[in-house]
Amino acid sequence: MKRMVILGAGTGGTLLANRLRRRFGEDELQIDVVDRDPVHVYQPGLLFVPFGEADPEAIVRPRQAQLRGAIGYHQTGIEAVSLGEERVLLESGDSLPYDLLVVATGTRLLPGETEGMLGDHWNESVFTFYDLPGATALRDALARFEGGRLVVDIVDMPIKCPVAPIEFVFLADWFLRQRGVREQTTLTLATPLDGCFTKPIASKHLTYLLEEKGIELAVEFSAGEVDGGNGRLVSYDG
């Protein structure tokens, strides 16, 4: 019997483990999954939390509950991988031997890479909707928003979902109209690209949708600093 260890129980690691479990019997392949985080967040749902269209509790599940039966789950950090011994050393003190090793540890958000992002205004007037605390804080802020300027900025590339910021401004346009404050709001999408879509053909044929909704588009804008105290997003070129 072969032994597979998957490091990471996010979307990739979970899908792989479940598909292989369906394909191979327990006597053919032993599958162990390791993750230090006990909960799985359905990331596509984060986009809808700020607008009250998704309940934060509804998009969170225990990681182990997402895995099919007969898959070993280990909630712990990873101390080291010994390629020579073909063994994963866990922070719990245990170790897992493997014949096949899959690294699916994913990515981490690093808002601190942008100067000023994590200042006093973080989750007060500066947000991300790419994690649950940020999406929830943004929901509360939008519920009390009475107008002004709302800027949605693609700080850097690549990002997890290229169209998510565009979806966000469309949802924001709808949400603010529902609340009756759209006329008091300037809605801007800023991007380091030369168009709102990552694909030139899509930008050529679909940019009119932003124009129809009165959404400003700032292209080739490379964010360099967040000046939360003065409510300014400053590009590298000033």
Side-chain angles (χ1 to χ4, degrees), residues 197-229:
F197 292 88
T198 55
K199 301 297 183 182
I201 293 178
S203 287
K204 178 180 178 181
H205 293 285
L206 298 175
T207 298
Y208 79 93
L209 293 170
L210 277 77
E211 298 169 356
E212 282 188 351
K213 297 178 183 296
I215 299 170
E216 292 183 349
L217 178 62
V219 298
E220 298 182 343
F221 185 95
S222 297
E225 177 190 357
V226 175
D227 181 1

Side-chain angles (χ1 to χ4, degrees), residues 6-29:
I6 301 174
L7 306 182
T11 301
T14 299
L15 284 172
L16 178 64
N18 287 339
R19 290 186 177 187
L20 290 176
R21 182 76 294 154
R22 288 197 300 266
R23 181 171 179 178
F24 296 102
E26 298 176 40
D27 57 342
E28 298 177 274
L29 181 64

Side-chain angles (χ1 to χ4, degrees), residues 49-52 54-56 127 134-144 175:
V49 170
F51 307 104
D55 184 345
F127 307 87
T136 304
L138 182 53
R139 175 199 62 191
D140 298 339
L142 286 174
R144 59 179 182 265
F175 180 79

